[in-house]
Amino acid sequence: MLRRLLRILLALVALGFLGYGLAANWDETTTALAAMSPWAVLGAFAAVLLGQFLMLLAWREILAGLGTRVPVRVAGRIMFVGQLGKYIPGAVWAYAAMMDLGRDHGSPPRRTFATISLGLVINLGVAISIAAATLGSLEAVREAWYLVLLVPAIIVCLHPKVLTWGLNLALRLARKEPLESVLPGRTVVVAVAWTALGWLVYGVHIWLVAGSSDLYLVATGAYAFAWATGILTVVVPAGVGVREGALVLVLGPVIGTPAALAVAIVSRLAFTLADVAAAGIAFLLGRQAPSSAPAYADQNGSGSTALTPDRNLSGSPEA
C-alpha cells in the first residue's frame, strides 16, 4: 500500500512540475494550441495508430519466435487490451492482464511474459539509438550522454542466447517455468526492423503538430528520448509528466517552450486516445469462440504456467 501511494505521489510531483511550466506560459501555450491545424492533430492521431500497429507486428513476431503463432487480430487483443493496465500505478498490471489474455489464446503465461519483456528491451534499445543518432547536437540531450552507454549493453543483450539466459533467470526468480527454446536470431532482426519503422512513424506525429517542415529528424529523436526517459522512470505510471517534461526539455530550445508544451499536451492526448481506440478495435476483432480456446491444466493452482500440452489455436497439439 505504501509503495502504491509513493508511486501516485511521484506521478503527482511530475505532473506538478509540468503544470507549473504550463501555468507560467499559459497565454503562449494556449495560443500555440489554438494555432494548430485540426488536420495536423488528426494526422498525428493517425500516425500514432499506425506506429502502434507496427509495434504490434514486432510484438507478434517475438511471440511467434517463442512458439505461439496467432493472427494479428488476436495478438492485438492480447497486447492492446492488456497494456491499458499501464495506466494503473504499479508495474505489474499490464503484465498480468496481457499474460491472462495470452493464456486465453494459447500462450503460456511465461511465454507472454517473455514477449512483453523482450519487446520492451528492443523498444528501449531502438529508441535510445534513434535519440542518440538524431539529437547529438542538442545541449539538452548531451547532458544525458550516459543514456547512450545503454546502447552497446542493449545490443549485447539482444543476442538470442543472452536474451534467453536473462529471461530464464527472471522466470526462475519469479518461480516460473523457464522458456522451452532460444529465440531465433531472425526473429530478433525482424522485430528490431518493425520497431525501428514504428519509431520513424511515431516521429511523424510530433513533426505534424510542431508545424515545422524541417524538424522531422529532431521530432523523431525528441519523442524517442522522451519515451525512453519516461519508461526508465518506472515509478511513474505510463511516464505521465516525465515524458512530457523530457519532450519540452528537448524541443523547447528549438521551437520555444510554449510551443513545446503544446506539442507535449497534444502528443499525450493522441497516445491516450490511440491506446483506447486500439484496445477497442482489437477487443472487437480479436474475439474468439470459447470452443476454440486452448485448455490449460491448472495443476499447481491458478498461478500455474503449465500448459498440457502446448496447443495451437485450433486446439490440436503443436508439433
Side-chain angles (χ1 to χ4, degrees):
M1 186 64 178
L2 181 62
R3 290 180 63 187
R4 180 174 295 183
L5 290 175
L6 178 61
R7 292 175 188 273
I8 295 173
L9 178 62
L10 289 172
L12 291 175
V13 169
L15 288 173
F17 278 109
L18 184 64
Y20 173 79
L22 182 60
N25 298 274
W26 179 258
D27 292 337
E28 297 90 342
T29 302
T30 53
T31 300
L33 281 169
M36 287 184 183
S37 165
W39 292 108
V41 175
L42 183 61
F45 174 72
V48 171
L49 274 178
L50 177 57
Q52 288 183 326
F53 177 73
L54 295 170
M55 296 300 184
L56 170 64
L57 295 181
W59 194 89
R60 175 176 175 261
E61 184 69 25
I62 297 169
L63 186 64
L66 292 175
T68 299
R69 297 186 179 276
V70 295
V72 173
R73 60 184 179 82
V74 172
R77 189 170 196 259
I78 298 170
M79 177 178 164
F80 290 139
V81 176
Q83 74 173 1
L84 292 179
K86 69 186 179 183
Y87 290 101
I88 303 174
V92 301
W93 301 110
Y95 267 80
M98 293 169 75
M99 288 164 66
D100 190 58
L101 287 166
R103 176 192 292 270
D104 292 342
H105 293 282
S107 177
R110 65 182 182 277
R111 196 177 292 168
T112 308
F113 172 88
T115 301
I116 302 168
S117 302
L118 288 173
L120 184 60
V121 170
I122 291 173
N123 243 318
L124 189 59
V126 173
I128 292 175
S129 299
I130 287 176
T134 57
L135 302 178
S137 61
L138 297 183
E139 183 63 33
V141 178
R142 284 207 298 268
E143 293 176 0
W145 58 268
Y146 50 87
L147 288 177
V148 180
L149 297 179
L150 292 174
V151 176
I154 290 174
I155 291 174
V156 171
C157 289
L158 287 179
H159 189 280
K161 290 185 177 180
V162 178
L163 277 175
T164 304
W165 176 83
L167 284 169
N168 281 337
L169 177 61
L171 287 168
R172 281 198 297 272
L173 291 175
R175 298 182 180 180
K176 304 293 184 183
E177 297 178 20
L179 295 175
E180 310 95 314
S181 59
V182 175
L183 188 69
R186 177 189 174 281
T187 296
V188 176
V189 172
V190 173
V192 168
W194 281 125
T195 301
L197 185 57
W199 277 108
L200 294 178
V201 173
Y202 278 159
V204 172
H205 96 282
I206 297 293
W207 173 63
L208 285 173
V209 295
S212 182
S213 59
D214 59 346
L215 285 181
Y216 171 69
L217 289 180
V218 172
T220 303
Y223 185 72
F225 174 79
W227 181 86
T229 303
I231 207 69
L232 289 172
T233 312
V234 294
V235 294
V236 178
V240 174
V242 176
R243 190 169 81 192
E244 287 73 27
L247 195 57
V248 172
L249 179 69
V250 176
L251 289 180
V254 181
I255 63 174
T257 299
L261 280 165
V263 169
I265 292 169
V266 173
S267 174
R268 173 61 73 173
L269 181 61
F271 265 90
T272 302
L273 292 177
D275 282 342
V276 174
I281 294 170
F283 178 79
L284 293 174
L285 296 180
R287 285 184 297 182
Q288 179 176 289
S291 60
S292 62
Y296 285 82
D298 216 2
Q299 297 174 353
N300 301 311
S302 60
S304 173
T305 61
L307 178 64
T308 313
D310 268 349
R311 295 178 181 268
N312 57 32
L313 287 177
S314 66
S316 59
E318 292 180 334

